[in-house]
Amino acid sequence: MDQPESSLPHAAVQKGQTPRREELVRLIAQSLYSLGYRKAAATLEAESGVPLYPPEHDRLLLDVMSGRWDACAATIDSLTGITERNRAVAEFLVWRGHFLELLGTGDAGLRLATEVLSRRIAPLAIDRRCVHWLARAVVTSEGAVAPEAVAECRIGLFLDLVEALPPWFRVPSGRLEHLVETAVIQQVASCIYHNLPDEVTLFEDHKCHEEQIPSDCTQILCAHKNEVWFVRFSNDGNYLASSSSDCTAIIWKEDGTIFN
């Protein structure tokens, strides 16, 4: 889990700064970190006043690692742009983590684990099979987290929470690269004269000109009795296959005669 090197305070969005600009800055910073340009990314955060992670991200991470479960639930409840189903899933992940840690303490935590199950987990609008599995774990101790494994499990819990929370909470890995690649693919797909074997550059909009399409008539093939729908040369360039709406396919030699 890549973390910024700087301890940048979460500055308020500057006056006149649009949400799109903030999103773009975060995308660029995430890309710089993933490419290894950590100082450049930290400088971008500092100069723009836009942190890579929103305040809710850092607060939830700290609360999860500290085992402040009520604070975790409060942060999740305050998030915007999240469906009620995903909110319930996120809260379930938090209380399940707490529940399994309590089970890992043995008989001392059994009563508290039962209370968490009945008061925190059971009322959530989630698949009841999840609740039944945890109820069974009270007897079997299946999934119980031993004290020495708590830190590792809390890291895993936070990563699971990120998957359930909205995209603005944490920029998906490789998001900027994905957007750029999608734009390139879309430009190529919309180019009606696309006929270039070379790679499309990012430095300009892609457009093939009509002049790049062969337009000089060098041979007229007259054997078909209706419109031709498809033609293709063989790999060695010595033969041409054509098919027509008259339900025929013809193999032509290079000189324009039909191959028997």
Side-chain angles (χ1 to χ4, degrees):
M1 182 169 61
D2 290 333
Q3 296 290 342
E5 289 181 340
S6 64
S7 55
L8 173 70
H10 296 287
V13 177
Q14 298 175 3
K15 184 178 181 180
Q17 180 170 300
T18 63
R20 186 71 68 187
R21 175 181 177 277
E22 182 178 349
E23 291 179 9
L24 182 59
V25 170
R26 292 181 64 196
L27 286 173
I28 295 173
Q30 192 274 339
S31 181
L32 287 172
Y33 279 118
S34 66
L35 292 171
Y37 303 124
R38 305 182 69 84
K39 291 183 179 179
T43 300
L44 174 61
E45 291 186 77
E47 290 190 358
S48 66
V50 178
L52 175 58
Y53 301 122
E56 296 89 346
H57 175 281
D58 292 352
R59 184 164 63 244
L60 184 60
L61 174 59
L62 182 60
D63 289 338
V64 167
M65 296 308 297
S66 302
R68 296 196 287 261
W69 310 110
D70 287 308
C72 293
T75 297
I76 293 171
D77 188 58
S78 69
L79 296 179
T80 59
I82 180 174
T83 65
E84 290 306 312
R85 179 182 179 278
N86 283 356
R87 195 187 305 277
V89 169
E91 291 183 4
F92 168 75
L93 291 172
V94 167
W95 294 117
R96 183 188 66 177
H98 184 29
F99 171 84
L100 294 176
E101 285 187 20
L102 289 171
L103 282 186
T105 61
D107 294 340
L110 188 58
R111 182 183 61 81
L112 293 176
T114 304
E115 289 182 1
V116 169
L117 179 61
S118 61
R119 297 181 181 180
R120 300 291 194 175
I121 298 177
L124 295 174
I126 58 172
D127 190 333
R128 305 321 293 172
R129 289 175 295 181
C130 297
V131 180
H132 298 160
W133 182 85
L134 294 177
R136 186 172 67 248
V138 172
V139 178
T140 64
S141 295
E142 182 180 358
V145 177
E148 61 271 15
V150 164
E152 181 180 355
C153 288
R154 289 180 180 178
I155 293 174
L157 166 59
F158 181 76
L159 295 178
D160 289 340
L161 284 171
V162 167
E163 295 298 319
L165 297 177
W168 64 261
F169 186 80
R170 181 174 182 174
V171 180
S173 178
R175 179 61 182 169
L176 181 59
E177 291 83 351
H178 171 74
L179 289 174
V180 171
E181 186 63 24
T182 300
V184 170
I185 292 173
Q186 182 60 37
Q187 286 197 19
V188 171
S190 62
C191 179
I192 61 176
Y193 300 116
H194 186 65
N195 193 34
L196 288 176
D198 302 329
E199 290 188 9
V200 177
T201 178
L202 299 179
F203 298 122
E204 62 180 354
D205 290 340
H206 174 71
K207 182 179 179 180
C208 294
H209 297 285
E210 185 177 358
E211 294 78 14
Q212 295 173 269
I213 303 298
S215 57
D216 295 332
C217 179
T218 59
Q219 183 76 43
I220 299 177
L221 308 178
C222 302
H224 288 294
K225 295 180 174 57
N226 210 324
E227 61 186 19
V228 175
W229 285 354
F230 181 83
V231 294
R232 173 164 292 179
F233 277 100
S234 61
N235 292 335
D236 59 10
N238 294 326
Y239 299 95
L240 176 71
S242 62
S243 62
S244 167
S245 60
D246 62 9
C247 299
T248 62
I250 298 176
I251 305 298
W252 305 85
K253 295 181 181 179
E254 189 178 9
D255 59 7
T257 60
I258 296 177
F259 176 77
N260 294 323

